[in-house]
């Protein structure tokens, strides 16, 4: 969702900004633009579509090589269509200020009324153009642009990460954040501000995670972080990023998604790092918290599916009752009835999902401890949670989440084992046996993934033209069915629905005919006989079935896909990449934009 980068330094700034935007492409966008100062003016160049269109336009701008300070933006439309006049940067009426913005200013219509009454005109439908003009207006009575910027932001309600350039200060960038990600990068003789670390990672690993209600003023050699409220200076810890650009590049794979699916064995290994001691799980982050009497898991999309999967383990192994809820529903519940010793677990790869962050804040307001399970270090959710567990999966670039789910599942399994120890839900021997199975997963997956990829490819050729799909599963396979359907629809735009297999006969089965296939998770577990009955019901309506199953089971279906056997629920770690690979292959075969599916953003920072 919208990518921002600002740069002040000693290099030609526009190429730095364009490359930074390219490294933010995974966030999804429909137009892009840059602003830079030169010859006493602010120049803005914008284009719809991909960055190549913007570069094409920049090639005709003669001053692009000279500036050493610039800012850029990739826009994912919220207010107004994805057309050039709505693309960022936006300028104030007198041309003195330019702004890029990620987020939504909720009261922009009211602010606009005031500005229109004062004679301001608008060429876009965006809230950003209102904000930049509000700064121009407030500057008339402010000592300087910094005070005007702060005053305008105090009047704006909503979410934002913004960068501002002033024609009068060619080497300066102002930036601020409120509930949208913004990270400050400190280089040598150059400074950066961006929505995410990869934007500037080739130049510096030193970062400051800006917080809500902060403004930064940066030049090539200086920076100040200030409180928005009263412009008091604020001192921040400087963090050093451990991962490098290699981790954020395709490394020979056709797409980031494929690379990330194949990274899952390594993700499991890394997830274990620092979490084992003397053959048992240690999660120091949880030591200070009581074992919850009841856990409320709150998340969106794939992270929500991880939560549904994790419930089985937490209840079965650790005897912790679990409720799982979608964050956009949880945040608006009129009354969530928490009991003493309840805990909320928010799961988010990005740590920036607006609904999940709002759910976290709502729960904290009720005085309930909130545990965050995040991948992105220093993200908003990670910082605001009472305690955070990092999934340690490395950067996930593809918009479709794959390895993040695997890492979340691992952490949920480790949490269940950890609380099982404290709750005496499992014996040491039982925990060790389970841990040995988990520890064997990387080798098992490394060996199995190439054949699974091949089978996914074969099946994709047969089913790519299908317009509808059901995914069915029971028990721990039900969340995986939901995830399989989500992956297929988001990547290939084929309508797919995930269902609890037992629920089919209560209505959905009416849709079954020979052109409507069903992907069934028919793994070798206690619920298999029930699943087989549901499969037979589908076949009785001439529905074709693909059964994802284990060797040696007697299945009479259209297509069988055998994967290595593991005891339930750990079998999910093998079923998951199969589902991901099938969706990947269908989408790639259909020529879809696998890493950046239409209409989607990696990090959903609006409601
Ligand atoms: O960053 P988060 O885990 O909070 O993101 C949640 C969802 O937006 C995300 O999982 C989304 O559903 C993905 N497109 C799934 O592939």
């Amino acid at each position: 969702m919208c990518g921002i980068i600002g740069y002040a330094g000693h290099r030609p700034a526009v190429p730095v900004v364009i490359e930074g935007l390219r490294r933010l492409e995974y966030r999804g966008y429909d137009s892009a633009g840059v602003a830079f100062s030169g010859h006493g003016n602010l120049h803005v160049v914008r284009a719809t579509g991909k960055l190549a269109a913007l570069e094409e336009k920049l090639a005709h701008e003669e001053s692009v090589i000279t500036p050493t300070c610039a800012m850029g933006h990739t826009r994912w439309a919220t207010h107004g269509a994805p057309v050039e006049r709505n693309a960022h940067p936006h300028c104030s009426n007198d041309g003195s200020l330019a702004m890029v913005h990620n987020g939504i200013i909720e009261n922009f219509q009211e602010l606009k009324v005031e500005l229109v009454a004062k004679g301001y005109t608008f060429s876009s439908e965006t809230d950003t153009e209102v904000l930049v003009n509000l700064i121009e207006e407030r500057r008339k009575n402010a000592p300087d642009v910094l005070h005007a910027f702060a005053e305008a932001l105090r009047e704006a309600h909503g979410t934002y990460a913004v960068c501002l350039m002033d024609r009068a200060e060619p080497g300066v960038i102002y930036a601020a954040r409120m509930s949208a990600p913004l990270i400050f990068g400190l280089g040598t003789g150059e400074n950066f501000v961006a929505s995410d670390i990869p934007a500037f990672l080739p130049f510096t690993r030193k970062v400051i995670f800006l917080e809500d209600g902060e403004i930064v003023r940066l030049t090539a050699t200086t920076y100040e972080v200030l409180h928005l409220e009263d412009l008091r200076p604020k001192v921040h810890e400087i963090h050093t990023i451990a991962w490098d650009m290699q981790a954020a590049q395709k490394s020979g794979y056709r797409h980031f998604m494929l690379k990330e699916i194949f990274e899952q064995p390594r993700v499991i290994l890394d997830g274990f790092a620092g979490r084992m001691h003397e053959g048992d799980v240690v999660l120091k982050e949880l030591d200070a918290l009581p074992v919850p009497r009841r856990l409320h898991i709150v998340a969106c999309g794939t992270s929500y599916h991880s939560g549904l999967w994790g419930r089985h383990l937490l209840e079965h192994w650790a005897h912790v009752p679990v409720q799982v809820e979608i964050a956009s529903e949880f945040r608006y519940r009129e009354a969530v009835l928490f009991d003493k010793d309840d805990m909320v677990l928010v799961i988010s790869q990005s740590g920036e999902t607006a609904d999940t962050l709002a759910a976290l804040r709502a729960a904290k307001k009720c005085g309930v401890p909130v545990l965050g399970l995040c991948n992105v270090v220093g993200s908003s959710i990670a910082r605001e949670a009472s305690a955070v567990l990092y999934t340690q999966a490395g950067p996930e670039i593809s918009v479709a989440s794959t390895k993040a789910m695997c890492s979340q599942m691992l952490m949920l399994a480790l949490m269940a084992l950890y609380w099982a120890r404290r709750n005496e839900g499992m014996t040491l021997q039982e925990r060790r046996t389970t841990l040995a199975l988990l520890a064997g997963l990387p080798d098992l997956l490394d060996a199995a993934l190439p054949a699974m990829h091949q089978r996914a490819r074969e099946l994709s050729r047969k089913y790519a033209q299908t317009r509808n799909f059901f995914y069915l599963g029971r028990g721990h396979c039900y969340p995986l069915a939901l995830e399989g359907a989500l992956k297929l629809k988001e990547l290939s735009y084929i309508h797919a629905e995930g269902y609890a297999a037992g629920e089919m006969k209560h209505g959905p089965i009416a849709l079954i005919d020979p052109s409507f296939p069903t992907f069934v998770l028919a793994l070798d577990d206690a619920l298999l006989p029930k699943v087989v009955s549901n499969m037979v019901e589908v076949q009785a309506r001439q529905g074709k079935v693909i059964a994802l199953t284990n060797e040696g089971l007697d299945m009479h279906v259209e297509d069988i896909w055998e994967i290595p056997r593991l005891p339930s629920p750990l079998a999910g770690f093998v079923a998951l990449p199969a589902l991901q690979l099938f969706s990947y292959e269908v989408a790639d075969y259909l020529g879809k934009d696998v890493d950046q599916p239409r209409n989607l953003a990696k990090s959903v920072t609006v409601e």
Side-chain angles (χ1 to χ4, degrees):
M1 190 144 290
C2 301
I4 289 179
I5 175 166
Y7 173 77
H10 49 78
R11 302 169 205 266
V14 174
V16 171
V17 163
I18 294 286
E19 280 315 306
L21 290 179
R22 189 154 279 129
R23 286 187 290 273
L24 296 177
E25 273 188 314
Y26 71 87
R27 300 170 72 83
Y29 68 106
D30 42 49
S31 58
V34 292
F36 50 93
S37 39
H39 311 305
N41 260 320
L42 276 177
H43 300 262
V44 168
V45 183
R46 307 181 293 188
T48 52
K50 295 289 175 188
L51 281 171
L54 177 65
E55 285 181 292
E56 170 82 26
K57 279 192 151 184
L58 279 164
H60 302 296
E61 288 275 326
E62 57 171 62
S63 45
V64 278
I65 335 145
T66 38
T68 53
C69 180
M71 63 185 185
H73 186 267
T74 43
R75 173 175 188 256
W76 191 81
T78 53
H79 287 72
V83 291
E84 191 175 321
R85 71 170 190 289
N86 288 330
H88 299 215
H90 289 282
C91 289
S92 61
N93 275 198
D94 66 3
S96 67
L97 300 171
M99 172 174 273
V100 293
H101 167 215
N102 172 14
I104 294 179
I105 305 300
E106 286 164 3
N107 58 337
F108 84 106
Q109 291 291 11
E110 292 146 61
L111 298 169
K112 193 170 182 176
V113 169
E114 180 203 324
L115 293 169
V116 169
K118 289 189 165 134
Y120 284 83
T121 57
F122 295 88
S123 56
S124 77
E125 294 137 62
T126 65
D127 47 351
T128 311
E129 197 183 8
V130 173
L131 187 57
V132 72
N133 278 300
L134 187 66
I135 303 169
E136 181 189 308
E137 176 58 24
R138 297 299 176 248
R139 175 142 74 166
K140 292 176 185 161
N141 297 313
D144 54 31
V145 72
L146 175 64
H147 284 80
F149 184 33
E151 193 178 335
L153 290 178
R154 287 194 289 260
E155 289 176 55
H157 305 155
T159 59
Y160 54 78
V162 280
C163 285
L164 178 76
M165 288 181 77
D166 178 8
R167 184 174 57 198
E169 295 182 283
V172 179
I173 298 219
Y174 294 93
R177 68 158 275 170
M178 186 66 76
S179 300
L182 197 64
I183 295 143
F184 176 58
L186 294 89
T188 310
E190 55 188 350
N191 286 315
F192 305 79
V193 67
S195 311
D196 201 357
I197 294 163
F200 53 69
L201 196 59
F203 306 105
T204 183
R205 287 170 175 228
K206 289 197 178 136
V207 304
I208 287 177
F209 296 107
L210 295 172
E211 285 171 18
D212 284 354
E214 290 181 355
I215 290 192
V216 57
R217 180 186 189 276
L218 63 96
T219 68
T221 51
T222 64
Y223 74 91
E224 290 169 277
V225 183
L226 309 160
H227 289 272
L228 169 65
E229 214 174 80
D230 51 9
L231 298 181
R232 259 177 311 127
K234 174 145 188 199
V235 180
H236 263 286
E237 190 186 342
I238 298 174
H239 297 263
T240 304
I241 298 303
W243 46 272
D244 57 15
M245 278 317 292
Q246 179 66 21
Q249 276 161 358
K250 281 189 204 157
S251 312
Y253 285 91
R254 200 166 140 69
H255 295 100
F256 281 112
M257 181 180 174
L258 190 59
K259 174 189 172 224
E260 287 159 6
I261 292 172
F262 273 81
E263 275 176 353
Q264 289 174 106
R266 205 250 324 128
V267 161
I268 295 172
L269 269 179
D270 290 353
F272 268 112
R275 267 116 192 203
M276 293 291 295
H277 184 65
E278 293 179 354
D280 213 344
V281 181
V282 281
L283 292 176
K284 290 201 186 76
E285 301 88 333
L286 304 190
D287 284 347
L289 295 169
V291 180
R293 275 274 176 80
R294 189 170 50 149
L295 186 70
H296 304 254
I297 301 184
V298 184
C300 302
T302 294
S303 297
Y304 168 71
H305 298 155
S306 296
L308 287 173
W309 182 85
R311 172 168 62 187
H312 292 269
L313 286 68
L314 290 157
E315 292 193 333
H316 185 200
W317 296 351
H319 303 170
V320 173
V322 178
Q323 290 180 353
V324 192
E325 195 162 344
I326 295 165
S328 54
E329 290 296 317
F330 179 91
R331 67 181 289 190
Y332 290 118
R333 286 256 296 274
E334 277 168 18
V336 184
L337 302 176
F338 291 114
D339 286 331
K340 194 175 162 304
D341 296 331
D342 274 12
M343 187 189 284
V344 170
L345 168 68
V346 289
I347 308 180
S348 174
Q349 185 286 130
S350 62
E352 300 292 351
T353 300
D355 284 320
T356 313
L357 184 57
L360 174 155
R361 288 175 180 162
K364 276 182 87 179
K365 249 192 193 160
C366 298
V368 184
V370 181
L371 181 60
L373 181 56
C374 295
N375 190 35
V376 177
V377 176
S379 56
S380 300
I381 290 175
R383 282 183 287 127
E384 292 193 27
S386 325
V388 61
L389 282 170
Y390 284 116
T391 48
Q392 305 179 166
E396 188 178 66
I397 308 292
S398 173
V399 167
S401 197
T402 54
K403 66 172 179 174
M405 180 159 179
C406 171
S407 67
Q408 290 164 351
M409 286 165 59
L410 178 74
M411 288 314 300
L412 287 161
L414 295 184
M415 277 165 72
L417 289 169
Y418 169 85
W419 278 331
R421 166 159 66 83
R422 287 179 57 184
N423 249 4
E424 295 177 8
M426 284 167 108
T427 63
L428 177 61
Q429 193 46 49
E430 284 168 334
R431 293 199 303 275
R432 285 199 168 148
T433 308
T434 309
L435 276 168
L437 286 167
L438 282 169
L441 279 172
D443 286 345
L444 185 146
L445 281 177
D446 263 332
L449 278 169
M452 281 163 71
H453 190 193
Q454 179 53 32
R455 185 68 180 133
R457 194 175 292 132
E458 287 159 16
L459 291 170
S460 71
R461 292 344 181 224
K462 181 164 172 188
Y463 289 97
Q465 304 307 334
T466 307
R467 294 314 309 148
N468 298 290
F469 247 102
F470 270 126
Y471 280 72
L472 302 185
R474 273 181 183 258
H476 71 101
C477 285
Y478 167 50
L480 298 170
L482 294 178
E483 177 62 8
L486 176 65
K487 283 282 110 41
L488 189 67
K489 69 186 134 201
E490 71 178 332
L491 290 167
S492 62
Y493 322 141
I494 293 173
H495 167 238
E497 285 196 59
Y499 253 92
E503 193 64 12
M504 270 294 274
K505 55 187 168 299
H506 298 288
I509 202 163
L511 291 168
I512 292 293
D513 68 22
S515 69
F516 198 136
T518 301
F519 197 120
V520 183
L521 285 108
L523 302 179
D524 193 3
D525 60 28
L527 292 176
L528 181 63
K530 309 283 171 205
V531 174
V532 170
S533 305
N534 302 135
M535 225 156 62
V536 171
E537 287 157 11
V538 169
Q539 289 176 304
R541 275 92 191 158
Q542 280 81 52
K544 293 196 179 83
V545 168
I546 305 175
L548 187 71
T549 187
N550 303 119
E551 205 181 322
L553 297 175
D554 193 21
M555 298 273 160
H556 302 279
V557 294
E558 177 82 13
D559 285 294
I560 292 181
W561 183 353
E562 288 176 346
I563 55 174
R565 183 182 262 98
L566 264 182
S568 114
L570 302 186
F573 284 99
V574 192
L576 179 68
L579 298 165
Q580 296 165 343
L581 284 165
F582 178 67
S583 300
Y584 168 81
E585 281 299 329
V586 171
D588 189 35
Y589 181 66
L590 293 175
K592 305 298 182 203
D593 189 347
V594 172
D595 283 333
Q596 289 166 40
R598 72 182 182 203
N599 304 341
L600 296 186
K602 181 65 182 163
S603 170
V604 184
T605 51
V606 292
E607 280 196 64

